[in-house]
Amino acid sequence: MRIRRYVAASLPAAVAQVKKDLGPEAVILEVRRVRAPGLIGWFRPRRVEVTAAGGEPYPRTEATSCPSPKASTPAGPAPPPAATWAVGATALLPTELLPERLRRPYALAREQVSKLVQRGVRLELAQELVERALANVPEDRLADGAALTESLRREMLRLFPSSPPEPLSGRVFAFIGPTGVGKTTTIAKLAAIYSLQKEKRVAILTQDTYRIAAVEQLKRYAEILRLPLEVLFTPDDLPAALERQGQADLILLDTAGRSPKQGMHLAELRTFLGRCPEIQNVLVLSATTKPDDLEHVFERFQPLHPSQLLFTKLDETTSVGSILNLMARAKMPVGYVTNGQNVPDDVEVASPERLVDMVLGGTPDA
Ligand SMILES: Nc1nc2c(ncn2[C@@H]2O[C@H](COP(=O)(O)OP(=O)(O)O)[C@@H](O)[C@H]2O)c(=O)[nH]1
Ligand SMILES: [Mg+2]
């Protein structure tokens, strides 16, 4: 029996080499994703390393004389490398090619990866998370689905940066983000909570004068809550309004929704908000946005340096996994999340545990 290692650009290419060299009966012992050594390796795509056994069994040798102690220990093949999980690399591999002890763990892992992907997590991130999760499951619990889910849960939680218990610690917050994500509704919810429940002096400002309905919407909320509302028509109106509202503990600034494609409008908004360094920007994103679009929107708003994220419409989607894609990329705290149209009830401080549980949505069959 020979044990050999093969490195190729893809798994099918590596398996083809194995078959050619070790014969059709060869058994795959280990599959890993590897990089070329040294700094240069980080700039090259990862390759697949397959360790396989095959060929003729070792011939039995008849001892003709009393062997020396050294010769009595045949050198034998090198043991396979310590297990490094390669869920992505093995995804196309028929389970029968895997050693018996790895079949169930890999089957469970693949199930988890496809569940995460269905819920909006990018494939590469899903594979990485599951690989890291597997690496932390004790050897004797590898076939236990619940152990993998628990480990995966911990890996997912690690993506969230620690956030302050009070998301709106500061005085002036501008709510930025695309049209229709729920900025104005969320401001109404928060204005009600901070003024009625937390007894803060709250003022509302709006820069969204592009649609008459937008100002009217906010005016109605401000009237019901008996809060001051300032409508800002030019960037110069902002410092003056902030000065007039100098007594307020919390100022919530609504902005005109911008299509993320409208670069010029974003630049305008940046100039507007850039006048007052005291303003912290909350990037409002809808959890219903397609994962790719969500990352695109997130990127487009980066020039405005948001300090936290706020996700709306969690009630309308099962693809909350796309939130993890942003967490892996941005390490930005999530302050509030909203889960319905009711003002002020449908808003809560984001809980990474709850978000992760929404992505996992129940354990797979153990
Ligand atoms: N289902 C659901 N709808 C929401 C939520 N937040 C806002 N909306 C709705 O989304 C629509 C657009 O909200 P709006 O606040 O005007 O968005 P804006 O353009 O970003 O200011 C309205 O119909 C809201 O009632 C939410 O958490 N869940
Ligand atoms: Mg609005």
Side-chain angles (χ1 to χ4, degrees), residues 183-184 208 211 214 217 254-255:
K183 296 181 298 299
T184 306
D208 188 0
R211 292 176 305 132
Q217 185 188 2
D254 198 7
T255 63

Side-chain angles (χ1 to χ4, degrees), residues 111-124:
E111 211 175 285
Q112 290 286 16
V113 168
S114 60
K115 185 162 90 179
L116 294 188
V117 170
Q118 260 174 28
R119 299 197 176 159
V121 180
R122 260 187 304 110
L123 176 64
E124 300 75 25

Side-chain angles (χ1 to χ4, degrees), residues 250-273:
L250 181 66
I251 298 178
L252 304 173
L253 166 54
D254 198 7
T255 63
R258 294 284 188 240
S259 150
K261 294 205 175 104
Q262 290 171 305
M264 218 179 77
H265 287 298
L266 273 183
E268 198 185 308
L269 187 58
R270 192 173 161 194
T271 313
F272 204 107
L273 299 172

Side-chain angles (χ1 to χ4, degrees), residues 11 31-33 46-48 84-93 105-136 148 151-152 155-156 159 321 324-325 328 359-360:
L11 187 66
V31 181
R32 307 198 305 161
R33 279 190 296 199
R46 285 210 249 178
R47 296 166 69 78
V48 177
T84 305
W85 296 97
V87 176
T90 56
L92 297 172
L93 198 66
Y106 269 117
L108 289 170
R110 289 174 195 179
E111 211 175 285
Q112 290 286 16
V113 168
S114 60
K115 185 162 90 179
L116 294 188
V117 170
Q118 260 174 28
R119 299 197 176 159
V121 180
R122 260 187 304 110
L123 176 64
E124 300 75 25
L125 178 60
Q127 287 170 345
E128 260 180 61
L129 286 167
V130 172
E131 283 168 11
R132 289 208 295 266
L134 269 172
N136 289 322
L148 176 59
S151 179
L152 181 57
E155 287 305 321
M156 289 158 82
L159 295 177
L324 294 189
N325 301 336
V359 181
L360 286 172

